């Protein structure tokens, strides 16, 4: 009888369910999109029931399509969009309002007010590893308690529960029996002390959040509960939970300090495992908790940085400028010219992130001449992705005090061979792209399967990796220096105070 681990991958725009076999192959996927709700400019919500019905619907359809019997399921692992905040009634399971999505900016002024004193901001960073922002759950919880009628009174009476999406799904899967989350998700709430490993009383007071709202926090590879939702097969153990980026780091088998992954999607997410060391960044990166294999007796951490405009720059060329029809054609177009002919794009559409941090900066294209062709601009766009990742990697290496030996890559744009070769060239580091690019879901499956013994060890997981594509650096030093100098000059013209 063939056995599987199920990965539930609850993302920002869709919910997916996957069957993963013992060889680490994804043998079935069902994906269900759900509505995005934009009640006001800058606000983003999800209906928690849409999240649930799309996720349970995807799971049910997957099991029916593959005729999977309960005996064939080893366990469930969950990975999820992080920071998105739900509060519900403990008795009825009814959400008190829509989920406030990580992208939602409605609480920016709350964070500004609370962190007006730089010492407060520093204390938050020291405890949580995060740079205070509306992105994280704390101010979203406060907003719900302050703005939904009766919510604060009910919360103080212990009637309500808060959860990130993993916690909401776990609650529903266990029919309201378990209110728990994992350390990776807790570390994105801005209420969890990542050094002491507990909800932080001082931060709860700062955001005026009653502790009774909060879930129990467990390691990512733990037994969380068993399914007992009447819509589902009963008794399946849920044994792995991690936020999407930490799940991808685990799914990329970055089990040791110094190992890193970068996801090239709409934006880029770079995470480096820093082991037991909760590195403090001097370059505006955040420190977060990494998912660990069962049996690891200490908290493991990661440094995290992101690029705002990555695949989004390619989308912009396609949808707004109309320079290309598909993202895929950029690879051949870029290769059709020998260089960008001196063109650089600085994609500061929404400001520049780490390591520059200039929110006011705006995008620019430099070096246009009468000889500039479409292909030069397209190539400059792809190169801009790679340069942004280059800056982030160098900042991360400096913060972690260790060089990157290999960069593991995934995400939609990692399919672009030109981009990946150029990335390897500018980083002077090999890149490794696994055959199976579903690293986020794999991470959740691995955590669950290691907990139950479906896989015996992380070595077993490493042995499953085969058929990786590798890119090795192959650029002369003189050209490398010239290109990087050109990029930094373009950045210097764009941001107020470049740091390099
Ligand atoms: P997300 O999960 O953020 O939606 P994906 O990982 O699905 O993103 O990747 C989609 C993004 O990658 C899009 O922004 C698209 O423009 C970009 N992309 C996809 N394929 C390519 C390609 N071959 N070359 C360059 N960019 C690509």
């Amino acid at each position: 009888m063939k056995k599987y681990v199920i990965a539930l991958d609850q993302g920002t725009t869709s919910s997916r369910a996957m069957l993963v076999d013992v060889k680490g192959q994804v043998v079935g996927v069902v994906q269900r999109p759900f509505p995005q709700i934009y009640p006001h400019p800058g606000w983003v919500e999800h209906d928690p029931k849409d999240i649930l019905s799309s996720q349970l619907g995807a799971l049910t359809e997957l099991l029916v399509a593959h005729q999977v019997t309960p005996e064939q399921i080893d366990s469930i692992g969950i990975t999820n969009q992080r920071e998105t905040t739900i509060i519900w009634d403990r008795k009825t399971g009814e959400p008190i309002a829509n989920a406030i999505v990580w992208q939602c900016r409605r609480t920016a002024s709350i964070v500004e007010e609370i962190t007006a004193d730089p010492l407060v901001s520093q204390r938050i960073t020291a405890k949580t590893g995060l740079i205070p922002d509306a992105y994280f759950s704390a101010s979203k919880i406060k907003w719900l308690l302050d703005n939904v009628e009766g919510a604060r009174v009910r919360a103080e009476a212990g009637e309500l529960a808060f959860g990130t999406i993993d916690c909401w799904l776990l609650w529903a899967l266990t029919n309201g029996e378990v209110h728990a989350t994992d350390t990776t998700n807790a570390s994105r709430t801005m209420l969890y002390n990542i050094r002491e490993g507990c909800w932080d009383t001082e931060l709860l007071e700062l955001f005026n959040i009653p502790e009774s709202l909060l879930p129990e926090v467990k390691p990512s590879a733990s037994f969380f509960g068993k399914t007992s939702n009447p819509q589902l097969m009963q008794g399946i153990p849920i044994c792995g939970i991690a936020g999407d980026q930490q799940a991808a780091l685990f799914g990329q088998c970055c089990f040791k300090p110094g190992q890193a992954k970068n996801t090239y999607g709409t934006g880029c997410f770079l995470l480096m495992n820093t082991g037991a060391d909760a590195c403090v960044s001097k370059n505006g990166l955040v420190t977060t908790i990494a998912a660990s294999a069962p049996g690891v007796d200490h908290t493991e951490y990661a440094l995290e940085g992101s690029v705002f405009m990555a695949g989004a720059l390619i989308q912009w060329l396609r949808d707004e400028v109309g320079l290309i029809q598909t993202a895929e054609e950029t690879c051949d177009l870029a290769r059709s010219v020998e260089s960008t002919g001196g063109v650089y794009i600085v994609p500061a559409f929404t400001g520049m992130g780490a390591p520059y941090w200039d929110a006011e900066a705006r995008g620019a294209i430099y070096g246009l001449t009468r000889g500039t062709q479409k292909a030069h601009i397209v190539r400059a766009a792809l190169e801009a992705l790679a340069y942004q990742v280059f800056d982030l990697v160098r900042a991360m290496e400096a913060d972690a005090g260790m060089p990157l030996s290999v960069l593991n890559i995934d995400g939609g744009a990692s399919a672009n061979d030109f981009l990946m070769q150029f990335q390897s060239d500018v980083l002077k580091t090999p890149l490794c792209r696994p055959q199976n690019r579903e690293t986020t879901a794999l991470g959740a499956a691995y955590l669950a399967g290691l907990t139950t013994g479906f896989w015996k060890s992380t070595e077993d997981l490493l042995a499953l990796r085969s058929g990786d594509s590798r890119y090795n650096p192959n650029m002369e030093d003189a050209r490398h220096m010239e290109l990087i100098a050109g990029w930094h000059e373009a950045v210097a013209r764009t941001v107020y105070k470049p740091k390099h």
Side-chain angles (χ1 to χ4, degrees):
M1 183 181 60
K2 210 168 167 191
K3 287 198 88 168
Y4 305 101
V5 173
I6 292 170
L8 301 182
D9 180 1
Q10 206 303 306
T12 309
T13 56
S14 72
S15 302
R16 301 191 307 161
M18 293 186 208
L19 275 182
V20 181
D21 70 11
V22 75
K23 296 198 174 106
Q25 297 296 317
V26 175
V27 297
V29 186
V30 174
Q31 175 162 11
R32 292 219 176 156
F34 60 88
Q36 306 292 308
I37 304 166
Y38 306 108
H40 300 287
W43 291 34
V44 190
E45 297 181 354
H46 292 155
D47 183 335
K49 293 194 174 162
D50 286 342
I51 289 184
L52 213 53
S53 59
S54 59
Q55 189 64 77
L56 298 188
L59 173 57
T60 308
E61 192 181 324
L62 179 79
L63 298 179
V64 170
H66 293 267
Q67 301 186 335
V68 179
T69 59
E71 304 73 54
Q72 286 181 279
I73 306 173
D74 174 78
S75 54
I76 294 178
I78 300 174
T79 181
N80 57 291
Q81 51 164 322
R82 303 177 300 174
E83 297 107 12
T84 298
T85 297
I86 305 179
I87 297 182
W88 65 92
D89 185 299
R90 287 180 183 275
K91 272 218 183 83
T92 63
E94 278 296 309
I96 63 162
N98 276 341
I100 306 185
V101 177
W102 57 276
Q103 297 153 321
C104 186
R105 300 306 302 168
R106 83 180 65 172
T107 58
S109 59
I110 298 181
V111 177
E112 257 172 49
E113 213 172 288
I114 288 182
T115 59
D117 176 354
L119 286 177
V120 172
S121 183
Q122 283 163 21
R123 265 190 90 62
I124 295 177
T125 303
K127 289 174 172 231
T128 65
L130 306 172
I131 299 167
D133 195 90
Y135 194 76
F136 305 110
S137 316
S139 61
K140 300 181 194 294
I141 303 175
K142 179 172 167 52
W143 191 94
L144 287 169
L145 294 181
D146 290 343
N147 290 277
V148 175
E149 213 188 318
R152 186 164 288 286
V153 175
R154 288 165 72 195
E156 271 153 16
E159 291 170 19
L160 302 181
F162 149 76
T164 41
I165 298 295
D166 56 302
C167 180
W168 169 243
L169 291 178
L170 180 66
W171 171 276
L173 290 170
T174 60
N175 215 23
E177 280 164 26
V178 181
H179 183 217
T181 187
D182 85 300
T183 50
T184 67
N185 276 293
S187 75
R188 314 297 295 186
T189 59
M190 215 161 76
L191 298 170
Y192 193 72
N193 189 318
I194 63 165
R195 291 163 195 282
E196 289 172 15
C198 58
W199 297 116
D200 191 282
T201 320
E202 184 190 347
L203 297 180
L204 291 173
E205 270 169 29
L206 196 61
F207 285 90
N208 196 11
I209 295 171
E211 193 159 2
S212 64
L213 271 180
L214 303 174
E216 180 189 354
V217 184
K218 295 181 163 196
S220 299
S222 312
F223 173 74
F224 286 90
K226 286 188 174 177
T227 54
S228 59
N229 184 309
Q231 291 176 45
L232 289 173
M233 288 176 186
Q234 307 289 300
I236 307 168
I238 301 146
C239 293
I241 295 184
D244 52 10
Q245 298 309 321
Q246 285 96 333
L249 187 68
F250 201 80
Q252 283 275 21
C253 299
C254 296
F255 305 129
K256 295 203 175 116
Q259 295 182 326
K261 71 93 196 172
N262 190 33
T263 303
Y264 296 81
T266 310
C268 280
F269 282 96
L270 176 66
L271 269 80
M272 183 194 265
N273 182 329
T274 59
D277 191 3
C279 290
V280 178
S281 174
K282 294 189 180 69
N283 293 293
L285 305 174
V286 304
T287 311
T288 198
I289 296 183
S292 297
V296 175
D297 60 359
H298 57 273
T299 305
E300 293 184 304
Y301 298 91
L303 276 171
E304 173 171 334
S306 56
V307 167
F308 305 143
M309 289 288 284
L313 179 62
I314 309 303
Q315 277 169 16
W316 179 76
L317 286 183
R318 185 190 62 196
D319 301 340
E320 305 304 327
V321 191
L323 216 51
I324 49 170
Q325 252 90 56
T326 65
E328 291 71 29
E329 76 191 70
T330 57
C331 184
D332 286 344
L333 259 173
R335 281 181 173 150
S336 72
V337 284
E338 274 184 10
S339 72
T340 66
V343 176
Y344 284 92
I345 301 181
V346 183
F349 289 62
T350 54
M352 283 294 268
Y356 302 105
W357 290 112
D358 180 355
E360 309 304 322
R362 290 296 173 262
I365 306 182
Y366 296 98
L368 299 175
T369 67
R370 287 298 295 269
T372 302
Q373 299 161 15
K374 176 167 95 169
H376 293 122
I377 295 180
V378 168
R379 183 170 172 133
L382 291 176
E383 291 190 0
L385 262 69
Y387 291 132
Q388 293 180 97
V389 173
F390 167 85
D391 283 335
L392 214 49
V393 168
R394 289 291 175 265
M396 204 168 264
E397 288 175 326
D399 283 338
M402 49 188 146
L404 196 66
S405 51
V406 174
L407 182 62
N408 294 283
I409 56 173
D410 51 44
S414 73
N416 190 310
D417 285 331
F418 166 80
L419 172 60
M420 293 304 117
Q421 183 56 51
F422 188 79
Q423 184 74 81
S424 175
D425 289 342
V426 296
L427 283 174
K428 290 182 176 276
T429 304
L431 261 49
C432 189
R433 185 178 62 211
Q435 201 172 35
N436 186 346
R437 270 180 283 154
E438 296 287 2
T439 53
T440 308
L442 274 186
Y446 287 172
L447 286 163
L450 281 174
T451 306
T452 60
F454 188 70
W455 292 292
K456 299 288 172 262
S457 65
T458 49
E459 285 74 36
D460 277 8
L461 296 177
L462 279 164
L464 295 177
R465 255 182 104 141
S466 65
D468 290 0
S469 306
R470 273 182 88 89
Y471 299 86
N472 291 309
N474 181 25
M475 186 186 274
E476 284 170 16
D477 285 347
R479 182 163 161 71
H480 183 266
M481 279 166 65
E482 183 193 344
L483 288 176
I484 297 292
W487 162 251
H488 282 149
E489 190 183 328
V491 173
R493 288 170 189 239
T494 311
V495 302
Y496 176 54
K497 266 195 244 155
K499 249 205 214 168
H500 56 80

